[in-house]
């Protein structure tokens, strides 16, 4: 089954976002559990969650993906920033424990001049405190484009974090097609070898989700600028290969392209036509 969805707003509640996903022929979706700029999140409504669970039971929606606020930086050299980031992360995990089958994706962070090794140490230290062996949510490290002092621009950096986390079975990776291409991995012309490298460094068993985006600037640009499907440097042929690749085709795909809901509907229709059942 082709699992494809988009980033949707939960401002109106989970029941309505579930129905909105179905209305655009999506069978998953991504959402921010709070503002991407952080701040206090609205209390979850048990009745709303119950109605959403009914939608899941009566549809092909089997998994959903929460995206951490962009302000989270567990690698910061500022104690205050790291503390605030930790609190947001911890609160999100508590809230997600009330929801059905879900993943939690976050940008690993930026070392802001301390060096990647120090940043990786700080991230893994926080994760060791945050992760509970009984939690149901799997935490995903996102592949990054490598702008500025971002950590996660290479598979080795992501694996270094994973190796330092004790309860590592609760960790996975979300591969962002725009980010990984911008970081220098040629998934357009050399997808098989890129995935072989991922497997040898991290392990394909860790790959739990795909952010499906085209790229404005392309290979080695380190820009992190998403484009609509087929209109960027990756192009439609490469996107088609990605969604049909034997190592990726059964993973959930999440669109983060510069679109409104109707735009996502058109992209999902396009991609469903390109997916080989």
């Amino acid at each position: 089954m082709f699992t494809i969805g988009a980033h949707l707003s939960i401002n109106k509640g989970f029941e309505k976002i579930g129905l909105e996903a179905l209305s655009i022929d999506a069978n998953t979706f991504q959402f921010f559990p709070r503002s991407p700029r952080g701040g206090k999140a609205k209390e979850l409504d048990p009745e709303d969650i119950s109605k959403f669970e009914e939608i899941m039971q009566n549809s092909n929606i089997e998994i959903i993906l929460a995206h951490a606020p962009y302000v989270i930086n567990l690698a910061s050299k500022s104690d205050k920033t790291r503390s605030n980031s930790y609190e947001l992360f911890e609160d999100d995990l508590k809230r997600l424990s009330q929801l059905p089958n879900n993943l939690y994706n976050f940008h690993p962070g930026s070392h802001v001049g301390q060096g990647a090794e120090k940043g990786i140490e700080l991230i893994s230290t926080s994760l060791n405190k945050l992760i509970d062996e009984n939690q149901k949510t799997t935490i995903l490290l996102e592949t990054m484009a490598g702008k500025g002092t971002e950590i996660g621009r290479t598979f080795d950096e992501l694996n270094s974090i994973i190796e330092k986390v004790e309860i590592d079975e609760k960790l996975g990776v979300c591969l962002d097609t725009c980010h990984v291409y911008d970081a220098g991995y040629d998934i357009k012309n050399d997808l098989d070898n890129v995935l072989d490298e991922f497997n040898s460094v991290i392990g394909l068993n860790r790959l739990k989700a795909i952010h499906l985006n085209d790229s404005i600037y392309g290979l080695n640009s380190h820009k992190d600028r998403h484009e609509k499907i087929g209109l960027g440097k990756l192009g439609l042929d490469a996107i088609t290969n990605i969604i049909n690749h034997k190592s990726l085709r059964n993973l959930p795909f999440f669109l983060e392209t510069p679109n409104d809901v109707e735009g996502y509907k058109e992209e999902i229709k396009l991609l469903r036509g390109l997916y080989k059942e």
Side-chain angles (χ1 to χ4, degrees):
M1 180 177 69
F2 185 31
T3 304
I4 178 75
H7 189 103
L8 303 174
S9 171
I10 61 163
N11 289 341
K12 296 179 181 178
F14 282 96
E15 179 190 14
K16 289 188 176 179
I17 193 179
L19 294 172
E20 183 173 58
L22 295 177
S23 76
I24 61 173
D25 200 21
N27 52 357
T28 187
F29 59 84
Q30 177 178 271
F31 65 98
F32 283 119
R34 68 182 71 234
S35 166
R37 296 178 295 280
K40 186 175 175 59
K42 288 197 308 183
E43 291 296 323
L44 295 178
D45 179 353
E47 184 178 352
D48 176 50
I49 294 172
S50 178
K51 289 179 179 178
F52 173 62
E53 288 176 334
E54 287 182 22
I55 292 171
M56 290 186 75
Q57 291 165 7
N58 295 310
S59 70
N60 289 325
I61 299 177
E62 295 180 353
I63 194 165
I64 55 177
L65 176 62
H67 197 304
Y70 295 132
V71 295
I72 286 181
N73 185 9
L74 298 176
S76 176
K77 61 183 177 182
S78 163
D79 291 341
K80 181 178 180 181
T81 298
R82 285 201 315 278
S83 177
N84 289 342
S85 298
Y86 184 96
E87 289 175 6
L88 289 173
F89 204 120
E90 183 178 41
D91 189 53
D92 277 351
L93 289 179
K94 288 179 180 177
R95 291 163 58 77
L96 290 173
S97 70
Q98 302 174 58
L99 294 171
N101 197 17
N102 64 80
L103 306 165
Y104 184 62
N105 177 77
F106 81 107
H107 294 180
S110 297
H111 63 73
V112 288
Q114 302 175 97
E117 185 176 349
K118 178 62 175 178
I120 287 167
E121 178 186 333
L122 291 170
I123 295 165
S124 58
T125 296
S126 287
L127 289 174
N128 275 322
K129 295 176 182 177
L130 285 161
I131 295 174
D132 183 283
E133 63 182 357
N134 296 315
Q135 72 184 48
K136 295 179 181 179
T137 299
T138 299
I139 297 168
L140 305 185
L141 299 156
E142 184 171 344
T143 58
M144 302 307 295
K147 67 180 187 296
T149 62
E150 281 181 341
I151 295 169
R153 68 183 67 200
T154 67
F155 299 154
D156 287 301
E157 286 185 353
L158 293 176
N159 191 57
S160 292
I161 297 170
I162 294 168
E163 286 184 332
K164 294 178 185 299
V165 175
E166 295 166 7
I167 308 177
D168 65 339
E169 64 269 23
K170 302 297 183 181
L171 277 183
V173 173
C174 175
L175 188 148
D176 185 300
T177 55
C178 171
H179 293 179
V180 80
Y181 191 50
D182 287 12
Y185 292 97
D186 193 356
I187 57 173
K188 179 174 183 176
N189 301 301
D190 205 14
L191 180 60
D192 283 337
N193 283 330
V194 170
L195 292 176
D196 284 346
E197 182 177 350
F198 185 99
N199 190 42
S200 66
V201 175
I202 299 175
L204 282 168
N205 62 306
R206 295 271 185 198
L207 189 54
K208 304 297 184 183
I210 307 289
H211 279 165
L212 192 63
N213 305 301
D214 213 323
S215 168
I216 289 179
Y217 291 104
L219 188 66
N220 274 318
S221 65
H222 305 291
K223 292 287 189 181
D224 184 10
R225 291 289 302 278
H226 300 186
E227 180 56 285
K228 296 177 182 179
I229 297 300
L231 300 183
K233 299 294 186 180
L234 271 172
L236 198 56
D237 286 346
I239 296 291
T240 302
N241 290 336
I242 289 166
I243 64 174
N244 287 291
H245 194 280
K246 62 182 180 180
S247 297
L248 306 178
R249 59 182 285 109
N250 293 320
L251 295 170
F253 291 86
F254 300 89
L255 294 165
E256 294 181 317
T257 51
N259 266 313
D260 57 16
V261 174
E262 284 302 309
Y264 285 138
K265 182 177 182 178
E266 290 303 311
E267 286 189 334
I268 289 171
K269 180 180 179 181
L270 170 67
L271 292 163
R272 287 201 180 281
L274 296 171
Y275 186 79
K276 300 168 185 175
E277 295 289 352

